[in-house]
Amino acid sequence: VTPDNNGPVITLTTDFGYGSPYVAAMKGVILSINPAARILDLSHAIPPQALRHAAFFLASAVPYFPPQAIHAVVVDPGVGTDRALLYVETGQHRLLVPDNGCWTELLHISGGEPLVHQITESRYWRATVSSTFHGRDILAPVAAHLSRGLDPRALGSRASKWVRLDLPRPWRGEDGLHGEVIFVDHFGNLITNIGGETLDAVSASPQLEIGDVVVKRWVRTYGEAPAGALVALVSSAGQVEIALAQGNAARELGAKIGTPVRLAGGHPGQ
Amino acid sequence: VTPDNNGPVITLTTDFGYGSPYVAAMKGVILSINPAARILDLSHAIPPQALRHAAFFLASAVPYFPPQAIHAVVVDPGVGTDRALLYVETGQHRLLVPDNGCWTELLHISGGEPLVHQITESRYWRATVSSTFHGRDILAPVAAHLSRGLDPRALGSRASKWVRLDLPRPWRGEDGLHGEVIFVDHFGNLITNIGGETLDAVSASPQLEIGDVVVKRWVRTYGEAPAGALVALVSSAGQVEIALAQGNAARELGAKIGTPVRLAGGHPGQ
Amino acid sequence: VTPDNNGPVITLTTDFGYGSPYVAAMKGVILSINPAARILDLSHAIPPQALRHAAFFLASAVPYFPPQAIHAVVVDPGVGTDRALLYVETGQHRLLVPDNGCWTELLHISGGEPLVHQITESRYWRATVSSTFHGRDILAPVAAHLSRGLDPRALGSRASKWVRLDLPRPWRGEDGLHGEVIFVDHFGNLITNIGGETLDAVSASPQLEIGDVVVKRWVRTYGEAPAGALVALVSSAGQVEIALAQGNAARELGAKIGTPVRLAGGHPGQ
């Protein structure tokens, strides 16, 4: 049933939005170089220049893809400056990214040593390169050439250093485990950086606080709580999450990426 | 010109939005199981948990697809509770849906008896199933296996009962035909549940009311009216629709799904 | 590496938004006629009936595609009126458009004489044609038939006239070069109709004004300026652009399509 010769997959993740022609231009460039490429939209609604959003997004999406896919990522506040562009292999996944740390969390998850090459060999770029649109002029053509079988070592020399985002890790204080919101999803659910496995060692139901609000109810899934109830649960990515049943917790609580949370009572070490 | 061996089509309809990584994760899971699958986005902008919106959407989109496509639908307020997941065949169309009635209107249109199977055979799921993301962990892998030729009877036992949405049907009163808005499209056009064929039997131009407002002008298409005119017409789905020429009727009238309308004067039976 | 028999590419550009079922219906119609078609979303977030937005969008996206792609465009305020539908070949690109001038800027860029055919031969349409949805009932099936190799001359007779948008061109006054904003992108960057090549002939740094505001700083790319700085640069499409570093210039300045700009001082002829 499954044909042997599927076109290679190139995914696109950008902060370009849906009304601007930038994504479309990238798709055109890719197909002009490799007409067989299968282009998949991951998201073009990464908030503008939001590297932490992008970092969480990639870590939650890329691991589910088969290794041969090529993931082009254009969240690039430094476009046209001297920031590098990178080819990255981590955990068998292949990415093309600006060197701004957007793949930090993915690397953290994948573990191991990544293979990283600078993208400096301009023969694989468009002939003219705009200072403000390396997605179209460098990353799209490079993705297309890779999808045709180009050896990534041809892109530029191997890199041993790259930018890492300083992503917050939870820390234990006298009054509990301190973390923060690291992602707000489309439903307004608040995903924190506190791992769900923290809860396994807890005998009593721990108390979760966000700002002045105590989240008292722990559930396994949203539908266990009545509409309007604020609940805590373990997210589909395995992290402690705060949700408002049939509502929007982010709006209700005025919470966003960076809002502190505290897990107190009954957790290991207290 | 048309190759014989096209990859099978899997469509995705969700309320996940465009900035969250959930859609991307589903695409990755599908391609990991069937690299030949051709994934098509139908919509990820179904409003959160909006089953009536989803019901209208599916009824207006799925019938245009060829029968072999597999439509995975994740508008799922009951995720992780004991609500079932279903494989559905209706009118030659194949869907994977939570058992929450989102396919009620499609069934109504298709007519006939559907083939419905519960999705209970976990060998076709991801090894670990999150309580909050059955789209990624159950529906995506099941869609991928079906696209490789899996017999749907292998998914679970046949079901003879399922949830139906209580979609409003128009009713005739002494003062006319009473209906309501069942969909508000991106332009702010208000689609009602009154069928356009109702108008065929009308000699004089009937009067359409929404709230206190009388829609006086009937047109065949938007461009027949001057900018700013409130008009009634038969929608592309064959139903009575209210539109504001070159404007947004929903915003202008404060109307939404459920807003009552009344068709009075000259209709059959009066 | 590249298979010879890729499915033909059909791209979709509409103002339908992402929550309405209209795009999905078009995809279904296309696949029902040509199961091998590869459908690519360019944008469904063209603002409703915004022809100037669509014109800029197409001119910035279509030129990057390989010639064999078919671009179906549905930004169609005149749907169902006597406006024509057109098959267009310009600069090797193939489009299906309402005759409302949405391809004016693309034609301007492509140069040369376009090949234009009216779409009047109903045998390539859906059997029933709604007055309000020619995208689904005419353009989608025509795109699918073309992708199967249909000769475009079969669609209808050759046209020698078509609607052109009256797109503003910059003009030189005593006080400088007068232009206007012709596109606002997702970042709030303001793209003007003043070509970047204008600057090449300038010895001193020219002064750019938008409303009462003088944009003093010229940069090569956004990252050269500190956050919050208002800057001028040459856009990725080669035109003078106004941006707010790490911010949204459109919101900050209250600017939109049509907002006048003036380039004064040091430009050629002064």
Side-chain angles (χ1 to χ4, degrees), chain C residues 155-176:
Chain C
L155 296 173
S157 56
R158 185 156 182 185
S160 55
K161 288 183 181 177
W162 45 85
V163 172
R164 288 163 199 264
L165 272 193
D166 189 19
L167 293 174
R169 304 292 165 201
W171 54 276
R172 188 168 305 282
E174 295 213 344
D175 57 349

Short mmCIF file of all heavy atoms in Angstrom, two decimals, chain C residues 155-176:
data_model
loop_
_atom_site.label_atom_id
_atom_site.label_comp_id
_atom_site.label_asym_id
_atom_site.label_seq_id
_atom_site.Cartn_x
_atom_site.Cartn_y
_atom_site.Cartn_z
N LEU C 155 -11.17 26.40 -22.13
CA LEU C 155 -11.97 27.00 -21.05
C LEU C 155 -12.92 28.08 -21.54
O LEU C 155 -13.95 28.35 -20.92
CB LEU C 155 -11.04 27.61 -19.99
CG LEU C 155 -10.14 26.64 -19.24
CD1 LEU C 155 -9.17 27.40 -18.35
CD2 LEU C 155 -10.97 25.67 -18.42
N GLY C 156 -12.54 28.73 -22.66
CA GLY C 156 -13.36 29.83 -23.17
C GLY C 156 -12.51 30.64 -24.13
O GLY C 156 -11.32 30.37 -24.31
N SER C 157 -13.12 31.65 -24.70
CA SER C 157 -12.42 32.40 -25.76
C SER C 157 -11.35 33.31 -25.17
O SER C 157 -11.40 33.70 -24.00
CB SER C 157 -13.42 33.21 -26.56
OG SER C 157 -14.13 34.05 -25.70
N ARG C 158 -10.38 33.62 -26.01
CA ARG C 158 -9.28 34.47 -25.57
C ARG C 158 -9.80 35.88 -25.28
O ARG C 158 -10.67 36.40 -25.99
CB ARG C 158 -8.20 34.50 -26.65
CG ARG C 158 -7.00 35.28 -26.18
CD ARG C 158 -5.72 34.92 -26.87
NE ARG C 158 -4.64 35.71 -26.28
CZ ARG C 158 -3.41 35.72 -26.69
NH1 ARG C 158 -3.05 34.97 -27.73
NH2 ARG C 158 -2.49 36.46 -26.11
N ALA C 159 -9.29 36.48 -24.24
CA ALA C 159 -9.71 37.83 -23.85
C ALA C 159 -8.59 38.81 -24.13
O ALA C 159 -7.41 38.48 -23.98
CB ALA C 159 -10.07 37.86 -22.37
N SER C 160 -8.95 39.99 -24.55
CA SER C 160 -7.94 41.01 -24.80
C SER C 160 -8.11 42.19 -23.84
O SER C 160 -7.32 43.12 -23.83
CB SER C 160 -8.03 41.50 -26.25
OG SER C 160 -9.35 41.93 -26.52
N LYS C 161 -9.14 42.13 -23.04
CA LYS C 161 -9.36 43.19 -22.05
C LYS C 161 -9.58 42.56 -20.69
O LYS C 161 -10.16 41.48 -20.60
CB LYS C 161 -10.60 44.01 -22.42
CG LYS C 161 -10.42 44.92 -23.60
CD LYS C 161 -11.69 45.72 -23.81
CE LYS C 161 -11.55 46.64 -25.02
NZ LYS C 161 -12.80 47.37 -25.28
N TRP C 162 -9.16 43.25 -19.67
CA TRP C 162 -9.40 42.80 -18.31
C TRP C 162 -9.30 43.99 -17.39
O TRP C 162 -8.78 45.04 -17.75
CB TRP C 162 -8.38 41.71 -17.91
CG TRP C 162 -6.98 42.06 -18.30
CD1 TRP C 162 -6.10 42.82 -17.61
CD2 TRP C 162 -6.31 41.66 -19.52
NE1 TRP C 162 -4.92 42.93 -18.31
CE2 TRP C 162 -5.02 42.24 -19.47
CE3 TRP C 162 -6.69 40.87 -20.62
CZ2 TRP C 162 -4.10 42.06 -20.50
CZ3 TRP C 162 -5.76 40.71 -21.64
CH2 TRP C 162 -4.48 41.29 -21.57
N VAL C 163 -9.83 43.82 -16.20
CA VAL C 163 -9.81 44.89 -15.21
C VAL C 163 -8.39 45.05 -14.66
O VAL C 163 -7.71 44.06 -14.41
CB VAL C 163 -10.80 44.55 -14.06
CG1 VAL C 163 -10.65 45.54 -12.92
CG2 VAL C 163 -12.22 44.51 -14.58
N ARG C 164 -7.97 46.27 -14.53
CA ARG C 164 -6.69 46.55 -13.87
C ARG C 164 -6.96 47.35 -12.62
O ARG C 164 -7.74 48.30 -12.64
CB ARG C 164 -5.77 47.39 -14.77
CG ARG C 164 -5.19 46.63 -15.93
CD ARG C 164 -4.66 47.61 -16.98
NE ARG C 164 -4.52 46.94 -18.26
CZ ARG C 164 -3.37 46.40 -18.70
NH1 ARG C 164 -2.29 46.50 -17.97
NH2 ARG C 164 -3.32 45.78 -19.86
N LEU C 165 -6.32 46.97 -11.54
CA LEU C 165 -6.39 47.79 -10.33
C LEU C 165 -5.62 49.07 -10.56
O LEU C 165 -4.55 49.05 -11.17
CB LEU C 165 -5.74 47.07 -9.15
CG LEU C 165 -6.57 46.12 -8.30
CD1 LEU C 165 -5.78 45.80 -7.04
CD2 LEU C 165 -7.92 46.70 -7.95
N ASP C 166 -6.14 50.15 -10.08
CA ASP C 166 -5.45 51.43 -10.21
C ASP C 166 -4.46 51.57 -9.07
O ASP C 166 -4.70 52.29 -8.09
CB ASP C 166 -6.49 52.55 -10.18
CG ASP C 166 -5.86 53.88 -10.55
OD1 ASP C 166 -4.77 53.87 -11.15
OD2 ASP C 166 -6.45 54.91 -10.22
N LEU C 167 -3.35 50.82 -9.17
CA LEU C 167 -2.38 50.83 -8.08
C LEU C 167 -1.58 52.13 -8.13
O LEU C 167 -1.17 52.58 -9.20
CB LEU C 167 -1.46 49.62 -8.20
CG LEU C 167 -2.17 48.29 -7.96
CD1 LEU C 167 -1.25 47.13 -8.24
CD2 LEU C 167 -2.70 48.22 -6.52
N PRO C 168 -1.36 52.72 -6.98
CA PRO C 168 -0.69 54.02 -6.94
C PRO C 168 0.79 53.90 -7.31
O PRO C 168 1.47 52.98 -6.86
CB PRO C 168 -0.84 54.44 -5.48
CG PRO C 168 -0.91 53.16 -4.72
CD PRO C 168 -1.65 52.20 -5.63
N ARG C 169 1.27 54.78 -8.15
CA ARG C 169 2.70 54.85 -8.45
C ARG C 169 3.26 56.11 -7.78
O ARG C 169 2.55 57.11 -7.68
CB ARG C 169 2.93 54.91 -9.98
CG ARG C 169 2.31 53.77 -10.78
CD ARG C 169 2.97 52.43 -10.52
NE ARG C 169 2.13 51.32 -11.03
CZ ARG C 169 2.23 50.06 -10.62
NH1 ARG C 169 3.11 49.70 -9.69
NH2 ARG C 169 1.45 49.12 -11.10
N PRO C 170 4.49 56.07 -7.35
CA PRO C 170 5.05 57.27 -6.70
C PRO C 170 5.19 58.41 -7.71
O PRO C 170 5.34 58.18 -8.90
CB PRO C 170 6.41 56.79 -6.21
CG PRO C 170 6.73 55.55 -6.94
CD PRO C 170 5.44 54.96 -7.41
N TRP C 171 5.10 59.64 -7.23
CA TRP C 171 5.26 60.79 -8.12
C TRP C 171 6.18 61.81 -7.45
O TRP C 171 6.26 61.92 -6.24
CB TRP C 171 3.91 61.42 -8.44
CG TRP C 171 3.09 61.77 -7.23
CD1 TRP C 171 2.28 60.95 -6.52
CD2 TRP C 171 3.04 63.04 -6.58
NE1 TRP C 171 1.72 61.60 -5.47
CE2 TRP C 171 2.15 62.91 -5.48
CE3 TRP C 171 3.63 64.30 -6.82
CZ2 TRP C 171 1.88 63.96 -4.61
CZ3 TRP C 171 3.34 65.35 -5.96
CH2 TRP C 171 2.46 65.18 -4.87
N ARG C 172 6.90 62.52 -8.31
CA ARG C 172 7.89 63.45 -7.80
C ARG C 172 7.30 64.85 -7.72
O ARG C 172 6.78 65.38 -8.70
CB ARG C 172 9.12 63.46 -8.73
CG ARG C 172 10.29 64.25 -8.18
CD ARG C 172 11.56 63.99 -8.97
NE ARG C 172 11.87 62.58 -9.05
CZ ARG C 172 12.44 61.89 -8.04
NH1 ARG C 172 12.74 62.49 -6.92
NH2 ARG C 172 12.70 60.62 -8.19
N GLY C 173 7.33 65.43 -6.54
CA GLY C 173 6.87 66.80 -6.34
C GLY C 173 8.07 67.69 -6.04
O GLY C 173 9.22 67.22 -6.01
N GLU C 174 7.81 68.94 -5.81
CA GLU C 174 8.92 69.87 -5.51
C GLU C 174 9.59 69.52 -4.19
O GLU C 174 10.76 69.78 -4.00
CB GLU C 174 8.38 71.30 -5.44
CG GLU C 174 7.83 71.79 -6.76
CD GLU C 174 8.06 73.29 -6.91
OE1 GLU C 174 8.34 73.94 -5.88
OE2 GLU C 174 7.96 73.78 -8.05
N ASP C 175 8.81 68.93 -3.31
CA ASP C 175 9.34 68.62 -1.99
C ASP C 175 9.74 67.15 -1.83
O ASP C 175 9.88 66.67 -0.71
CB ASP C 175 8.30 68.99 -0.92
CG ASP C 175 6.98 68.26 -1.17
OD1 ASP C 175 6.81 67.67 -2.26
OD2 ASP C 175 6.11 68.28 -0.28
N GLY C 176 9.90 66.47 -2.94
CA GLY C 176 10.39 65.10 -2.82
C GLY C 176 9.52 64.10 -3.57
O GLY C 176 8.64 64.45 -4.36
#
